[in-house]
Amino acid sequence: MRKIFFALLAFFQVASASAQHYTPSAANISARTQFQDNKYGMFIHWGLSSMLADGEWVMNNRNIRVEDYKRLLHAFNPADFDAAQWVSTAKKAGMKYIVFITRHHDGFSNWDTKYSDWKITNTPYGKDVLRQLADECKKQGMKLGLYYSTLDWSRDDYPYETGRTGQKAGRSKKSDYSSYLQFMKNQLTELLTNYGEVMSIWFDGHWDQTNPEGHANRDSRIDWKYEEIYGLIHQLQPQCMIGNNHHLSPINGEDFQMFERDLPGENKSGLSFQKASAQVPLETCETINGAWGYNITDRNFKTVEQIIHLLVGAAGRNANLLLNVGPMPTGLIQPEFVDSLGAAGKWIQAHGESIYGTRGGPLVPQTWGVTTKKDKRIFIHFFKPPTGNMVFMPGFTEKMLSARLFGSGKTVKFTQMKEGLLVNVNDVEITGPDTIVELTIK
């Protein structure tokens, strides 16, 4: 009886510890603030899948078996890869951080991992891409986050039997999640030990074990043991932020919430049924064309105006924008992307005060634009003229000092009343991509 008592006591102590609410460290809170101030990042989807030039889901979409897909290993040779090109392209675009695909759903590792032979250092290229990128980010003062897939189409121990994808990969052995969990822990330990300070771990793949987005029940069919995974990350690098692209409300232990192909509060993609969190930072991830990974036939390039509207629209919703590029299999970012990002970057450089370091403004997003706020300054971003050339901010009680056209200093008319603030832009020429009125308050 005594042995049973102590066994039960130990069980409940462990259960209680695992159920404890996550308290972020001071370094993590500081990192969240820095993350929100930075506002704009580059997502990079790239790896062995780029060779087939049909997006990063090509293995699943073409029902390619593991044994056939792995034949590509000895042909992948991105001889033109240049980490300096990637980082400088992001900097010229006005981006402050990069999130790089270390391992996507095909399981291919873009670094010299000790825990798999399915890695870039076993290709003819033979070099550790992540090492080069991490070193270059440090050199150029760029924050680096790491994408990591919890889903795997190539490993037998991943619970593929209950997954929604990867069913035609030709796997027949019984899965073993305890083995797969240890594999992920080992790899995450490498990433957080050998490559310097990591801004964030960007997880993806949870949805493989749930009903589709929009279903009433989105419970996972497996226990991912996130308390162990998240705990390991925060132990290795307490400042490192954790996000998970599960298309759900944040889970205990997560430090930011992402929205895939949607601005927070929108659901044009059919993936974003979750509500925006008020407790953690927000991030929208979107592609610069139609695909995440390199697709040779995809010429659905976003215009410079669309890029600016995405960034400003995210800022007005108190969110970051993580804009994706899918470099070519050679390792180069294609010129169409570089040109558009650079052109948008010039506009951002001139208007960055109204974006960097801001938070969502006093007015909810409108059909004509958004508002952002920083200290005693409020920025009204007009993508097009408002109805009647008037903007009313109900309940606005702060004392106004001035209203001016950003960049020119031209005075803008306003009327302050007990019901709120009325801004008159009848004398303002509203032109694309974004005309900004700056309000200064006491």
Side-chain angles (χ1 to χ4, degrees):
M1 178 65 73
R2 188 177 178 84
K3 290 183 179 179
I4 294 175
F5 170 77
F6 283 112
L8 288 171
L9 180 62
F11 170 80
F12 285 119
Q13 285 175 336
V14 171
S16 175
S18 64
Q20 287 179 357
H21 184 74
Y22 162 60
T23 301
S25 67
N28 190 281
I29 294 296
S30 177
R32 294 183 188 187
T33 300
Q34 180 70 63
F35 177 70
Q36 289 180 293
D37 288 346
N38 284 343
K39 278 294 179 290
Y40 192 22
M42 176 181 279
F43 212 178
I44 303 178
H45 273 70
W46 182 81
L48 181 137
S49 62
S50 303
M51 289 181 63
L52 298 182
D54 194 18
E56 76 295 344
W57 273 62
V58 61
M59 180 182 174
N60 179 80
N61 292 347
R62 292 190 184 178
N63 296 324
I64 302 174
R65 295 171 66 88
V66 176
E67 59 184 319
D68 296 327
Y69 190 74
K70 287 195 172 184
R71 290 171 181 164
L72 296 171
L73 183 70
H74 299 296
F76 188 39
N77 187 17
D80 294 331
F81 169 75
D82 183 356
Q85 187 230 7
W86 286 13
V87 179
S88 62
T89 297
K91 289 195 76 171
K92 289 176 183 176
M95 294 162 165
K96 304 296 186 181
Y97 62 96
I98 287 173
V99 177
F100 175 58
I101 303 297
T102 61
R103 190 177 78 103
H104 206 266
H105 309 325
D106 61 3
F108 182 76
S109 296
N110 275 319
W111 79 98
D112 189 23
T113 178
K114 295 178 181 178
Y115 299 99
S116 174
D117 293 330
W118 181 226
K119 59 182 179 178
I120 196 162
T121 48
N122 281 345
T123 67
Y125 180 70
K127 301 174 187 176
D128 188 330
V129 168
L130 179 57
R131 165 60 57 206
Q132 297 174 68
L133 182 60
D135 290 347
E136 190 63 35
C137 282
K138 184 176 181 180
K139 179 180 177 181
Q140 295 197 39
M142 181 74 66
K143 294 285 187 180
L144 178 63
L146 305 178
Y147 169 109
Y148 187 88
S149 175
T150 56
L151 157 64
D152 195 302
W153 294 328
S154 62
R155 289 183 64 93
D156 291 319
D157 52 359
Y158 173 75
Y160 63 90
E161 300 97 334
T162 53
R164 281 199 269 150
T165 62
Q167 294 299 318
K168 300 296 180 65
R171 291 171 288 184
S172 58
K173 295 180 181 178
K174 187 179 184 336
S175 65
D176 179 359
Y177 185 67
S178 61
S179 168
Y180 185 69
L181 175 63
Q182 188 59 54
F183 164 74
M184 288 197 294
K185 287 181 179 179
N186 290 340
Q187 286 208 316
L188 289 165
T189 298
E190 282 184 327
L191 293 172
L192 291 161
T193 303
N194 300 336
Y195 296 91
E197 183 175 297
V198 175
M199 179 193 74
S200 61
I201 296 293
W202 210 103
F203 284 120
D204 192 18
H206 175 99
W207 36 261
D208 188 56
Q209 297 290 338
T210 71
N211 289 321
E213 291 76 5
H215 195 281
N217 181 1
R218 292 291 316 289
D219 291 342
S220 177
R221 289 184 282 274
I222 67 170
D223 179 2
W224 292 93
K225 305 288 187 182
Y226 285 136
E227 69 281 359
E228 296 183 29
I229 298 172
Y230 294 176
L232 172 66
I233 294 168
H234 287 137
Q235 177 185 1
L236 292 170
Q237 293 201 24
Q239 90 296 333
C240 182
M241 300 183 302
I242 296 172
N244 196 325
N245 190 36
H246 42 50
H247 308 144
L248 296 164
S249 297
I251 295 172
N252 186 40
E254 294 172 1
D255 303 298
F256 68 101
Q257 180 187 27
M258 65 272 284
F259 291 79
E260 183 175 354
R261 292 188 181 272
D262 281 306
L263 294 172
E266 296 182 348
N267 189 17
K268 297 176 182 178
S269 68
L271 300 173
S272 302
F273 293 85
Q274 72 273 31
K275 291 183 179 180
S277 172
Q279 283 72 48
V280 297
L282 310 177
E283 181 183 68
T284 284
C285 61
E286 180 56 285
T287 58
I288 198 169
N289 57 346
W292 296 102
Y294 179 66
N295 186 326
I296 199 168
T297 62
D298 183 358
R299 300 191 63 82
N300 186 27
F301 306 128
K302 286 183 173 58
T303 64
V304 172
E305 184 173 90
Q306 286 176 311
I307 292 172
I308 293 169
H309 285 184
L310 272 172
L311 175 60
V312 176
R317 291 165 174 82
N318 204 35
N320 287 17
L321 173 64
L322 181 63
L323 186 61
N324 180 77
V325 298
M328 297 181 288
T330 61
L332 291 177
I333 299 175
Q334 64 191 83
E336 295 91 344
F337 298 167
V338 174
D339 292 347
S340 295
L341 289 171
K346 289 180 180 178
W347 184 93
I348 295 165
Q349 183 178 16
H351 301 84
E353 286 183 67
S354 68
I355 302 167
Y356 300 123
T358 65
R359 299 295 183 266
L363 196 62
V364 297
Q366 305 289 313
T367 56
W368 48 259
V370 298
T371 60
T372 57
K373 182 178 181 180
K374 178 163 55 179
D375 300 325
K376 298 295 183 179
R377 305 160 76 191
I378 296 169
F379 303 95
I380 309 177
H381 299 264
F382 293 100
F383 301 156
K384 63 181 181 179
T387 303
N389 287 324
M390 299 281 188
V391 171
F392 181 64
M393 298 185 185
F396 190 97
T397 58
E398 297 176 276
K399 177 65 176 176
M400 281 284 297
L401 295 180
S402 66
R404 299 182 183 279
L405 189 62
F406 185 89
S408 74
K410 177 183 177 180
T411 299
V412 176
K413 298 176 184 177
F414 66 89
T415 303
Q416 199 156 16
M417 57 191 82
K418 64 178 182 179
E419 293 84 5
L421 177 69
L422 184 68
V423 180
N424 185 334
V425 292
N426 196 53
D427 296 331
V428 176
E429 183 182 4
I430 295 178
T431 58
D434 179 17
T435 300
I436 306 167
V437 171
E438 179 183 347
L439 311 180
T440 304
I441 58 178
K442 189 174 181 179

